[in-house]
Amino acid sequence: MSAPETARRIAAALPDAVLDEATGLPLHVGNPIAEQRRLRAGSLVLLPRDVLRLSGPDTLPWLDSITSQAIEQLAPGASTESLVLSPEGRIEHVMRLHQTTDALWIVVDAGTGDALETWLTRMRFYKQVEIERPEVVVVGTAGEPSAELAGAPAWVDGWPEVAPGGVRYGEPTGEPWRWSELILTPAEAEGIASDRFVGSMAAAALRIAAGRPSLAEVDERTIPHELDWLTTAVHLAKGCYRGQETVAKVHNLGAPPRRVVLLHLDGSENAPVAHGDEVLAGEKPAGAVTSAAIHDELGPIALAVVKRSTPADEDLVVRTADGTAVAAGQQVLVPPTAGHANRPPRLPRVGAVKRPAVPPA
């Protein structure tokens, strides 16, 4: 999960920065609540990302054929998302894509780039595609990028708008979500003034409040429908790709077995909620917390993945690592009925005989 060396060097020089031991990047630089407001206004956060640069005439049609999004006609300057799925339709990689005039940039979470590069190289065969791993730094902002960074490649998040060919199962939370990830050269990154940076806790709080999924919500069983990723990362009318059968079957004939929810947590217990904490519906296990934060307006919040059978109107409880029970109000992001509206009507079985009711004796 470690970030590139240049990003860690910049982070180590920031005044008052509290660094994440796993990534080497700032969790905050003094006040994680105030930093959310600064991030909305255009401040920057160093992100733990791996970056691949793909070029060559076959890049877009080839990647279109093996991943979940329709990108063959992706225009220079455009951004989208795409998923690499297992043959069973489970999420293996989440890719943020940005097309420039001469290359396709792929931004993924740190620690996943090597595996993605290996898989893409194995799938390339005789296609004219070059795969590079440039030395770059990725910074994020929830505001307007400054003029001096305007020329950098930038993945612009389309959430919560539905991408062409996608579908939204749930409703947006109402929290405005604007997010860009800029790909900078080491020199560009080192030229940014230290007071422009904030920490990753601020970015996490805004993401969670918007109901925006990340790799933190993904485990070995996750399918796109559970996290509402059909909104931006899956095209339901494109050609076949690995995992497409599961995507179509669940959307058209079934329902995802789990669903993501936004939890509004009771802060009176002063008990920190963290990834992996158990979520209970009454006394029954319902799921687990995947991300948690303290929002500058909403207070303590979290995303959790729960069983589809968990009633949407039921208040939940989070059991923390020390055993504290934290009350949690549930805000539905993916409803329990997700996918049901797409089910075709059942036809009567051919040859079935409807027997008359037998009157009581």
Side-chain angles (χ1 to χ4, degrees), residues 58 62 65 123-130:
D58 294 335
W62 166 70
S65 69
M123 297 296 294
R124 181 172 49 181
F125 300 109
Y126 297 105
K127 299 295 185 181
Q128 296 183 60
V129 180
E130 296 297 324

Side-chain angles (χ1 to χ4, degrees), residues 10 185 208 288:
I10 294 171
T185 66
I208 293 168

Side-chain angles (χ1 to χ4, degrees), residues 149-171:
L149 301 179
W155 174 72
V156 180
D157 194 350
W159 189 272
E161 290 81 12
V162 177
V167 62
R168 178 175 285 282
Y169 276 154
E171 294 295 331

Side-chain angles (χ1 to χ4, degrees), residues 291-303:
S291 302
I294 298 178
H295 190 265
D296 61 346
E297 295 179 358
L298 302 176
I301 55 175
L303 292 179

Side-chain angles (χ1 to χ4, degrees), residues 122-324:
R122 192 170 71 244
M123 297 296 294
R124 181 172 49 181
F125 300 109
Y126 297 105
K127 299 295 185 181
Q128 296 183 60
V129 180
E130 296 297 324
I131 303 174
E132 305 171 78
R133 291 289 295 276
E135 177 62 30
V136 293
V137 176
V138 179
V139 298
T141 182
E144 186 72 31
S146 56
E148 70 271 20
L149 301 179
W155 174 72
V156 180
D157 194 350
W159 189 272
E161 290 81 12
V162 177
V167 62
R168 178 175 285 282
Y169 276 154
E171 294 295 331
T173 64
E175 168 73 6
W177 177 247
R178 178 181 185 180
W179 186 252
S180 303
E181 298 191 1
L182 288 72
I183 305 168
L184 308 179
T185 66
E188 289 172 331
E190 291 178 316
I192 298 172
S194 60
D195 62 359
R196 294 278 307 283
F197 289 105
V198 298
S200 61
M201 292 175 67
L206 300 187
R207 175 184 70 81
I208 293 168
R212 203 336 171 185
S214 76
L215 206 58
E217 278 63 61
V218 176
D219 61 22
E220 69 282 355
R221 296 185 294 145
T222 305
I223 60 175
H225 320 62
E226 297 175 332
L227 305 182
D228 209 14
W229 239 319
L230 272 65
T231 303
T232 55
V234 177
H235 195 290
L236 290 170
K238 61 171 281 184
C240 294
Y241 54 91
R242 192 172 75 163
Q244 185 261 352
E245 182 178 359
T246 296
V247 170
K249 184 179 294 185
V250 173
H251 177 65
N252 292 306
L253 300 175
R258 301 180 298 174
R259 58 188 183 86
V260 67
V261 297
L262 175 62
L263 300 180
H264 296 269
L265 304 168
D266 178 8
S268 62
E269 295 288 346
N270 198 28
V273 170
H275 176 90
D277 287 348
E278 186 178 30
V279 177
L280 304 173
E283 298 295 325
K284 297 180 180 179
V289 170
T290 54
S291 302
I294 298 178
H295 190 265
D296 61 346
E297 295 179 358
L298 302 176
I301 55 175
L303 292 179
V305 176
V306 301
K307 298 175 182 178
R308 174 169 52 89
S309 58
T310 304
D313 57 354
E314 183 169 355
D315 288 335
L316 306 176
V317 172
V318 175
R319 180 181 292 156
T320 65
D322 65 1
T324 303

